[in-house]
Amino acid sequence: MARAYANQNRFVGTVSGLVKEMRPWQWYKQSILLLGLVFSENLFDPAAVTNVALGIVAFCAIAGTTYIGNDILDIEEDRNHPRKKHRPIASGQVPIPVAVSFAFLLFVGGVTVSWYLGPLFLLVVCTYLAQNALYSSFLKDLVIVDVMVIAIGFVLRAIAGVVAIDVYLSPWLVVCTFLGALMLALGKRRHEMVVSDDPAAARATLAEYTEETLDQLLVVVLAALVVSYSLYTFYRGGMWMMATLPFAVFAAFRYHFLAHTQDLGGDPKFLFGDRPFLVNLVVWGLLVIAVLYDVPPQLIGTIT
């Protein structure tokens, strides 16, 4: 009886660990696929919404595959990290053979859905997989390259959202997504350096970064992001889209403020617990939709 109970607990623990390995709290990464849907003005097209939803499912599966693969490769490094040592694989909650089998199932499911969405979508997914493989192999140990590769991963998600519904890929979407993701990646590196007792042991590149360098790079990228979004609102969105600019600027500045005063740069999910940031994000989103989908100006004025 005791053995059966122990086996049941072990099974439940393993399943729970596998779910954690998929990083469900990082849902915001896959939400990047929605950008193409919204800004191409297809938000209320049922077929487009269905395709993007399937794309998100595919990327969730593929991302889960890469997370598991990275955690297996980084198991020793993670065990020296103050937070990552509690991950299911690093802590021993999920045996490596089980993790490998689950990753294979996720891979097959993700590729199948990707193929259904078309060869171009599958090509983007394969590029994402190759990028993650190169990152895990050696790019993560190259200063500056490591954060740029992370940002490119977000850009590939944005491109996937566009490819899934077969619409024009705006260069503004690529530039703003890249800069926004790069800002988050730099903030994460800064957070890791601040909270770790031995940064070099937690991540190789932290032995070469300095807090001052990361702060300077963060400011440069933040400024470039604000300028890029400003140009987008002026050249592509028109007068009313420019009304969204203050909210975009506030979001970037608020992230910078929180990363420096409350050490929230480690995981962007904590931003959603910050009420000013969350309220600003909601208002920005509603205003963007109102402008793009021709809501009467009088109603736009009530939002702002």
Side-chain angles (χ1 to χ4, degrees):
M1 188 70 176
R3 180 178 299 177
Y5 184 74
N7 289 337
Q8 183 180 2
N9 284 344
R10 190 178 300 112
F11 175 78
V12 172
T14 300
V15 172
S16 174
L18 290 173
V19 172
K20 290 179 181 178
E21 278 295 325
M22 292 187 67
R23 317 280 208 274
W25 56 87
Q26 294 188 5
W27 57 269
Y28 57 86
K29 291 184 177 180
Q30 318 314 336
S31 68
I32 300 298
L33 276 81
L34 295 172
L35 291 177
L37 181 68
V38 173
F39 284 92
S40 67
E41 302 177 27
N42 283 286
L43 183 59
F44 302 109
D45 180 346
V49 171
T50 299
N51 279 359
V52 172
L54 288 173
I56 290 175
V57 170
F59 256 87
C60 285
I62 294 299
T65 302
T66 63
Y67 292 149
I68 292 173
N70 289 340
D71 284 357
I72 291 174
L73 293 174
D74 298 341
I75 187 168
E76 295 302 327
E77 185 176 286
D78 287 350
R79 285 171 177 168
N80 293 318
H81 193 280
R83 179 173 52 85
K84 295 180 181 180
K85 66 182 180 181
H86 300 296
R87 286 179 175 176
I89 293 177
S91 66
Q93 181 181 355
V94 175
I96 291 180
V98 174
V100 171
S101 299
F102 185 62
F104 177 75
L105 292 176
L106 289 175
F107 173 78
V108 172
V111 168
T112 301
V113 176
S114 299
W115 175 253
Y116 173 80
L117 290 172
L120 279 179
F121 190 92
L122 180 59
L123 177 62
V124 175
V125 167
C126 290
T127 303
Y128 174 79
L129 280 169
Q131 173 232 3
N132 272 273
L134 292 173
Y135 176 82
S136 298
S137 299
F138 67 95
L139 294 181
K140 66 179 181 180
D141 296 326
L142 302 180
V143 174
I144 299 178
V145 173
D146 62 332
V147 291
M148 292 186 67
V149 172
I150 291 174
I152 290 172
F154 282 85
V155 172
L156 288 173
R157 289 177 171 90
I159 293 174
V162 171
V163 169
I165 55 178
D166 193 23
V167 294
Y168 169 70
L169 176 62
S170 169
W172 297 106
L173 176 66
V174 174
V175 171
C176 290
T177 300
F178 176 76
L179 291 172
L182 188 57
M183 181 182 70
L184 295 177
L186 287 167
K188 183 176 181 180
R189 287 293 179 270
R190 183 186 184 280
H191 174 81
E192 290 174 339
M193 177 168 287
V194 170
V195 302
S196 180
D197 295 330
D198 186 2
R203 187 181 296 275
T205 53
L206 295 182
E208 300 183 64
Y209 281 121
T210 66
E211 191 174 336
E212 181 182 8
T213 299
L214 290 171
D215 284 340
Q216 291 174 345
L217 290 174
L218 192 56
V219 170
V220 170
V221 172
L222 189 152
L225 174 60
V226 170
V227 170
S228 297
Y229 186 79
S230 300
L231 291 173
Y232 162 73
T233 63
F234 181 78
Y235 287 109
R236 298 288 297 177
M239 181 186 70
W240 281 110
M241 183 58 79
M242 293 178 69
T244 69
L245 182 57
F247 299 95
V249 172
F250 178 85
F253 283 8
R254 184 69 181 176
Y255 174 76
H256 186 270
F257 169 78
L258 293 174
H260 282 76
T261 62
Q262 299 183 31
D263 289 332
L264 295 186
D267 193 335
K269 72 178 180 180
F270 294 116
L271 290 173
F272 299 104
D274 180 65
R275 182 170 296 180
F277 182 88
L278 186 59
V279 170
N280 177 77
L281 184 65
V282 171
V283 174
W284 173 79
L286 291 174
L287 186 57
V288 166
I289 292 173
V291 172
L292 291 176
Y293 294 85
D294 297 324
V295 173
Q298 295 83 353
L299 290 181
I300 296 177
T302 63
I303 295 176
T304 56

